[in-house]
Amino acid sequence: MSDLIIRIGGEGGEGIISSGDMVAQAAARSGLNILTFKTFPAEIRGGYAMYQIRFSTDEIKSEGSGFDVMCAFNQEALDKNRSALKPGTVLVYDYPGGDIKEEVNIDGVTCYNLPMSQIAKKELEMYRAKNMVALGALSELFDISSESVRDTIHSKFGKKGEKVVGINLNAIEAGAKYVRENHKKTDPFKMGKAERADKDVIIISGNNAAGLGALIAGCRFLSCYPITPATEVAIFMSKYLPKLDGTLVQAEDEIASIANVIGAAFAGQKAMTSTSGPGLSLMQEFLGYASMAEIPCVVVDVQRGGPSTGLPTKHEQSDLFMAAHGGHGDAPRIVLSPENVPDVIDIMVQAFNLAEKYQVPVLVLTDGSLGNRTESIQAPDPNSYEIIDRKRYAPNGDGPYKRYELNESGISAMSHPGDADGAYIATGLEHFETSAPGYTPELHVSMSDKRFRKLENIEDELPPIEVQGDGEADLGLISWGSTLGTVRESVDMAIAAGMKVKALHPKLVWPVPVKAITEFASGCKKILVPEINKQGQLAEIIRSKTDLHLIQYNVYGGLPITPDELFEKIKEVI
Amino acid sequence: MLWHTGCGMVVTTGYPVTSFNVTYIHNLFQNGAPTLSGVVEMFNERKLRGEIPDDEEITFIMVTGDGGLDIGLGPALGTAFRNHKMIILEYDNQGYMNTGHQLSFTTPMGHATATSNVGPKQQGKTFHHKDSAQLFAACHVPYVFTACDVMYKDLITKAAKAQYYARNHGLVFGKLFSVCPLNWRHTDDVADDLGMAAINSNFFPLYEVEQGITTLNYDPEAKGKKADVTEWFKYMGKTKHLLKPENEKLVERFRTEVDRRFSRIKAMSENPLL
């Protein structure tokens, strides 16, 4: 096997997510790479929940297109996925005795019934064990190593005692036994095992990776207000910050959160907040303050469907305009967007480094599916990262401290409260070099120029942007964030099909990396910009800085683009 | 009617299977009170213009959880200061339940939530619960009440009074004790006993402040029902750790604060000047 996708669907609260997690863990223990994809209902219980796991012996770039195996816990899950049950796929479904009332037969689809509700209720006398019965059946059917599944059960439930472990193992065996006694496997799908070169592999979600990256960068302060789908970042930090003598504050809203962060950063700490679109909206005024008073801070925005309350648990990349342009006045900011889970860690370190170096707010845009998805990754080595700290003030007898000194780089030394001769006003008013307020035309011009001068050459100071594919291309793709994984996979498909296609993978999205984009574009006959929003936000900000003709591909239904869909689009526009 | 995002909204307003046969607004939860006050003022304005009959009586209710009254407290207080003719109803289940039980300012001290953990370094929330009813009493609005469905006659009487005051005088604030079996970790069937224990422990005094005069509606001690706070804790998973001997000091601090707050309400009830 090189690639297998299993999707589990059912009602939120039925254990879909935890059984999916266990399949993923068992697979990773068997040496496979995994990438998971989840959708939740907005409600804490009830509604359709879906968990998809992609396994591969090779590197996994995206959640994939469709699935090979569907496991339906109820009728709704079956109905929602019926159109995706293509010939060659497999269906495992709860029948008889469950929510699905009729036997299912679909042309070309291998259907295995599994009375998971009935076995859980009657045999095990515990309805909650339904997901474990399903897990047992899936392991038996698709050769998920039973040893790995047992190890996973022990590590998940070991703390709760042998009795709980026993109940779960019995449920697993009951599901497996039903399959052995009632079904003869006729489909070709097998997960199997692989020898992994690196032993130090962890399974981590995008949201946890954001926390981990921040800790590596030296962040020791987080303030946030809980919001879907970003809360997990703070939950992760709440576990680790106390161990590192750090501080976590749960504030009363996002205005207070960013204010807390700016206070902590002013006092000398590397600080961050995590939020989603509605929270970022509330933070805009204070982000302008951070630009004006030149206080380094990092904001992670786990984007969701908007505007307003929007689609709290769905996927969208529609906060780019706000990240780049939100707030009033001419305010410099940096916006970064990582591609996948390991990239989240690297980008978070880079975000803190850039915030510290340039004394500006840095926004990191992930999204709901990247935040929630887990991947098996090589455990990062904290010592392998270069860590940058802000330029600190040291009195040199050259007269009074100039917090906002005008110089060539635009970067002036920052003092911390209590530093000798380092007193200044951190102010949102326009100010002189000494920080005293001032409003003359010359001052506002020179200070605005100073603040923007810091970022003038930022593109040159970062590693070159990766280009996928080479030579002259009939079509070039430019995208951002988690859509880049899909781009990677579709472009591979297109190249394999003999097309001349290449792609640019920018992680810095604001200020727009004009040089890299222009150079990339010069080697492409046409440019396609796929992104998950209605307006074509990346395309628009590129247009605002270049005269390129861009073809937009906008998908905005609350789900990512699949590699197959993007491949079709490539064929259409090339 | 206006609902803030929250469990109450999710469960009762799923259009068209809504529990209410009126049109309603669902907006962001820092803005509910001022949004509804805009509706109230426009209603009055249109009455003045003769566009709405003079005898048309509408009750305006804004419903929020304790979470919405954390993030939306400033605007809600502003609405109270302006004394619009409407009801602000808070159902308080002591946490942000729809995002997975993070602490709210009304989470009592010592109670475990996803952001006030129990472990070697911490025993649940580190500071005392917000007293939202007294905050609104301090706004000197015409009517403030607290209630719990386990004392349903008391609740219904207060609802009727609330409607009278909101139609004729100005802003009403009501606070309801609201259980959350999922996150408080208790079975559904103990909800009534649990609510009664919270009231009998003095944690949730049932009272009203009518035109500035406080009346304690139920005094556990006078009824011979006074219970210790641990009687309330024993029902819930989120307070299990508080029953351990090593946490007795923490519980004592909580008990002292609860009794102090109750005694203040009782003193106010006995003296109209207070």
Side-chain angles (χ1 to χ4, degrees):
Chain A
M1 186 221 65
S2 68
D3 203 332
L4 172 65
I5 301 175
I6 296 182
R7 180 179 290 184
I8 306 172
E11 188 172 320
E14 266 194 321
I16 307 291
I17 305 299
S18 57
S19 54
D21 271 339
M22 278 191 236
V23 174
Q25 276 185 31
R29 278 172 198 270
S30 299
L32 298 165
N33 293 318
I34 62 122
L35 187 151
T36 68
F37 172 62
K38 309 164 198 179
T39 63
F40 306 92
E43 300 79 15
I44 203 100
R45 266 197 181 174
Y48 172 68
M50 183 275 272
Y51 193 116
Q52 181 172 305
I53 312 122
R54 186 175 186 184
F55 321 93
S56 181
T57 44
D58 302 328
E59 186 199 352
I60 306 176
K61 301 179 179 95
S62 78
E63 61 278 352
S65 307
F67 53 78
D68 303 304
V69 176
M70 169 74 212
C71 178
F73 275 44
N74 64 7
Q75 186 69 43
E76 189 184 10
L78 179 59
D79 294 344
K80 281 209 185 321
N81 291 285
R82 194 177 276 268
S83 63
L85 283 160
K86 303 259 158 59
T89 59
V90 175
L91 171 70
V92 179
Y93 64 107
D94 186 10
Y95 177 84
D99 184 47
I100 299 170
K101 300 296 178 217
E102 281 174 21
E103 205 172 332
V104 183
N105 284 301
I106 304 169
D107 270 354
V109 176
T110 312
C111 299
Y112 301 111
N113 76 302
L114 170 73
M116 46 180 115
S117 298
Q118 191 169 296
I119 292 174
K121 255 186 270 182
K122 302 216 167 125
E123 251 178 67
L124 306 165
E125 295 180 347
M126 186 185 275
Y127 182 64
R128 269 193 305 171
K130 176 178 171 181
N131 62 340
M132 292 296 135
V133 176
L135 177 56
L138 291 173
S139 333
E140 184 69 25
L141 277 167
F142 305 106
D143 195 28
I144 302 170
S145 147
S146 56
E147 196 187 323
S148 301
V149 171
R150 274 200 303 274
D151 285 351
T152 305
I153 296 282
H154 277 285
S155 75
K156 186 168 166 84
F157 298 110
K159 269 191 190 165
K160 296 188 174 170
E162 278 310 304
K163 198 179 158 201
V164 179
V165 171
I167 290 169
N168 282 287
L169 289 176
N170 281 346
I172 300 271
E173 176 48 29
K177 183 163 154 256
Y178 184 86
V179 169
R180 278 197 300 272
E181 290 176 357
N182 295 280
H183 294 301
K184 192 172 177 302
K185 186 174 167 74
T186 51
D187 68 87
F189 299 118
K190 271 186 156 191
M191 193 184 87
K193 277 188 167 193
E195 274 308 309
R196 200 196 292 278
D198 350 303
K199 295 292 171 203
D200 208 3
V201 167
I202 55 172
I203 294 182
I204 186 168
S205 71
N207 278 341
N208 287 352
L212 181 56
L215 294 176
I216 291 172
C219 172
R220 293 295 179 268
F221 183 96
L222 180 137
S223 177
C224 79
Y225 179 79
I227 186 167
T228 304
T231 308
E232 201 190 356
V233 180
I235 300 289
F236 176 88
M237 293 293 263
S238 76
K239 284 184 199 142
Y240 294 99
L241 275 175
K243 293 180 182 166
L244 296 163
D245 294 327
T247 308
L248 183 125
V249 177
Q250 184 190 316
E252 66 272 27
D253 60 22
E254 287 87 350
I255 301 174
S257 306
I258 186 70
N260 281 159
V261 166
I262 286 171
F266 164 77
Q269 194 66 271
K270 288 187 188 178
M272 71 175 285
T273 180
S274 47
T275 189
S276 188
L280 188 60
S281 296
L282 286 181
M283 291 178 190
Q284 291 304 330
E285 188 178 9
F286 240 109
L287 286 170
Y289 174 86
S291 295
M292 186 62 146
E294 303 194 41
I295 295 177
C297 58
V298 173
V299 180
V300 176
D301 172 17
V302 186
Q303 299 169 94
R304 65 190 219 183
S308 188
T309 312
L311 297 83
T313 56
K314 301 294 181 223
H315 177 82
E316 206 165 271
Q317 300 179 288
S318 53
D319 293 351
L320 182 54
F321 282 166
M322 171 166 65
H325 295 306
H328 63 277
D330 292 317
R333 298 168 169 193
I334 295 171
V335 184
L336 304 171
S337 191
E339 164 177 1
N340 53 30
V341 172
D343 201 29
V344 171
I345 300 174
D346 298 347
I347 291 290
M348 283 303 292
V349 176
Q350 196 176 71
F352 275 96
N353 283 347
L354 294 174
E356 290 287 315
K357 182 172 179 183
Y358 298 112
Q359 300 173 21
V360 289
V362 177
L363 293 95
V364 176
L365 300 186
T366 67
D367 55 63
S369 53
L370 176 54
N372 283 319
R373 91 183 188 201
T374 48
E375 288 181 44
S376 51
I377 66 165
Q378 178 66 35
D381 171 13
N383 299 319
S384 66
Y385 291 90
E386 184 201 0
I387 304 297
I388 298 174
D389 294 320
R390 64 191 68 168
K391 185 177 169 189
R392 288 286 297 279
Y393 171 66
N396 53 10
D398 241 12
Y401 172 40
K402 290 182 177 168
R403 167 67 184 97
Y404 301 107
E405 185 181 44
L406 292 166
N407 56 28
E408 204 178 328
S409 69
I411 301 165
S412 34
M414 185 172 172
S415 75
H416 293 168
D419 283 358
D421 300 322
Y424 75 101
I425 313 164
T427 177
L429 286 169
E430 187 55 284
H431 41 257
F432 289 98
E433 287 179 282
T434 58
S435 78
Y439 316 107
T440 64
E442 298 76 18
L443 181 68
H444 188 46
V445 169
S446 63
M447 279 296 166
S448 296
D449 289 351
K450 167 206 189 302
R451 290 188 287 269
F452 276 89
R453 192 154 64 237
K454 293 188 286 187
L455 305 184
E456 238 161 41
N457 298 310
I458 183 169
E459 192 185 339
D460 301 334
E461 293 172 46
L462 294 176
I465 297 174
E466 184 193 340
V467 177
Q468 180 189 4
D470 42 37
E472 294 287 307
D474 292 327
L475 181 68
L477 282 81
I478 305 175
S479 188
W480 64 290
S482 62
T483 305
L484 289 176
T486 307
V487 168
R488 234 174 247 284
E489 200 164 332
S490 320
V491 168
D492 281 349
M493 289 156 87
I495 291 170
M499 297 180 210
K500 287 183 176 174
V501 176
K502 58 202 258 193
L504 187 72
H505 293 255
K507 308 295 163 67
L508 170 74
V509 283
W510 185 264
V512 177
V514 174
K515 288 179 197 166
I517 288 173
T518 318
E519 194 193 326
F520 172 79
S522 69
C524 305
K525 288 187 185 140
K526 291 179 188 171
I527 309 270
L528 177 69
V529 184
E531 51 186 322
I532 313 294
N533 57 54
K534 163 90 182 154
Q535 299 176 91
Q537 299 195 3
L538 179 67
E540 280 295 327
I541 66 166
I542 294 174
R543 284 187 193 114
S544 74
K545 298 289 175 188
T546 66
D547 52 7
L548 293 173
H549 175 72
L550 305 173
I551 305 163
Q552 289 181 202
Y553 178 35
N554 300 105
V555 173
Y556 40 93
L559 288 169
I561 313 176
T562 68
D564 283 355
E565 286 165 354
L566 184 54
F567 183 42
E568 288 305 311
K569 187 74 189 176
I570 291 171
K571 286 194 274 187
E572 181 195 315
V573 299
I574 199 162
Chain B
M1 180 170 269
L2 182 145
W3 284 78
H4 273 168
T5 295
C7 321
M9 174 257 155
V10 166
V11 172
T12 65
T13 65
Y15 190 82
V17 208
T18 157
S19 305
F20 312 102
N21 61 352
V22 293
T23 181
Y24 98 101
I25 305 172
H26 164 222
N27 78 340
L28 299 170
F29 55 12
Q30 61 275 37
N31 301 323
T35 305
L36 194 67
S37 64
V39 179
V40 171
E41 291 316 304
M42 198 56 217
F43 172 75
N44 292 336
E45 173 69 26
R46 291 186 65 191
K47 255 189 170 177
L48 278 176
R49 289 187 203 155
E51 292 169 7
I52 292 174
D54 225 15
D55 56 355
E56 175 95 40
E57 283 203 302
I58 296 182
T59 309
F60 295 91
I61 309 175
M62 175 270 201
V63 190
T64 175
D66 47 303
L69 209 63
D70 278 352
I71 187 169
L73 183 63
L77 287 174
T79 303
F81 296 142
R82 293 190 302 270
N83 202 25
H84 299 279
K85 288 182 176 171
M86 57 182 266
I87 300 170
I88 296 178
L89 191 64
E90 175 199 15
Y91 61 96
D92 179 6
N93 56 21
Q94 306 173 352
Y96 302 164
M97 304 318 192
N98 214 33
T99 47
H101 197 197
Q102 292 81 29
L103 72 82
S104 86
F105 287 142
T106 66
T107 305
M109 190 170 77
H111 289 217
T113 71
T115 47
S116 58
N117 295 300
V118 175
K121 296 213 171 190
Q122 202 180 329
Q123 295 293 314
K125 187 170 168 245
T126 55
F127 54 99
H128 284 297
H129 54 289
K130 177 176 82 181
D131 191 344
S132 39
Q134 282 299 301
L135 281 170
F136 282 86
C139 297
H140 302 284
V141 292
Y143 189 55
V144 173
F145 70 90
T146 66
C148 176
D149 57 355
V150 68
M151 300 278 274
Y152 59 91
K153 280 187 191 164
D154 177 71
L155 191 156
I156 292 168
T157 312
K158 287 168 175 171
K161 277 190 183 179
Q163 185 172 40
Y164 167 81
Y165 277 108
R167 281 182 175 173
N168 300 296
H169 292 269
L171 193 120
V172 172
F173 177 79
K175 181 184 180 73
L176 305 178
F177 181 89
S178 178
V179 300
C180 178
L182 179 67
N183 286 321
W184 290 9
R185 288 179 266 143
H186 63 81
T187 51
D188 295 355
D189 56 353
V190 301
D192 284 359
D193 296 342
L194 185 160
M196 211 55 236
I199 294 166
N200 282 332
S201 72
N202 285 352
F203 170 77
F204 196 83
L206 296 177
Y207 67 99
E208 58 195 332
V209 187
E210 202 171 344
Q211 308 275 34
I213 308 292
T214 301
T215 308
L216 183 64
N217 308 106
Y218 175 85
D219 184 352
E221 199 148 31
K223 298 272 182 198
K225 298 268 180 68
K226 175 76 175 71
D228 189 64
V229 286
T230 50
E231 289 298 306
W232 169 42
F233 294 165
K234 74 178 185 194
Y235 289 104
M236 303 176 290
K238 71 162 178 166
T239 44
K240 211 167 83 183
H241 59 287
L242 296 176
L243 301 174
K244 292 182 182 162
E246 60 264 34
N247 281 326
E248 180 44 40
K249 269 192 180 160
L250 175 63
V251 173
E252 180 53 32
R253 274 173 64 202
F254 179 68
R255 188 185 289 121
T256 307
E257 177 65 9
V258 160
D259 287 341
R260 186 188 70 81
R261 291 191 191 184
F262 184 87
S263 305
R264 285 185 74 238
I265 301 296
K266 199 172 170 182
M268 286 190 236
S269 177
E270 285 161 357
N271 186 338
L273 239 185
L274 297 178

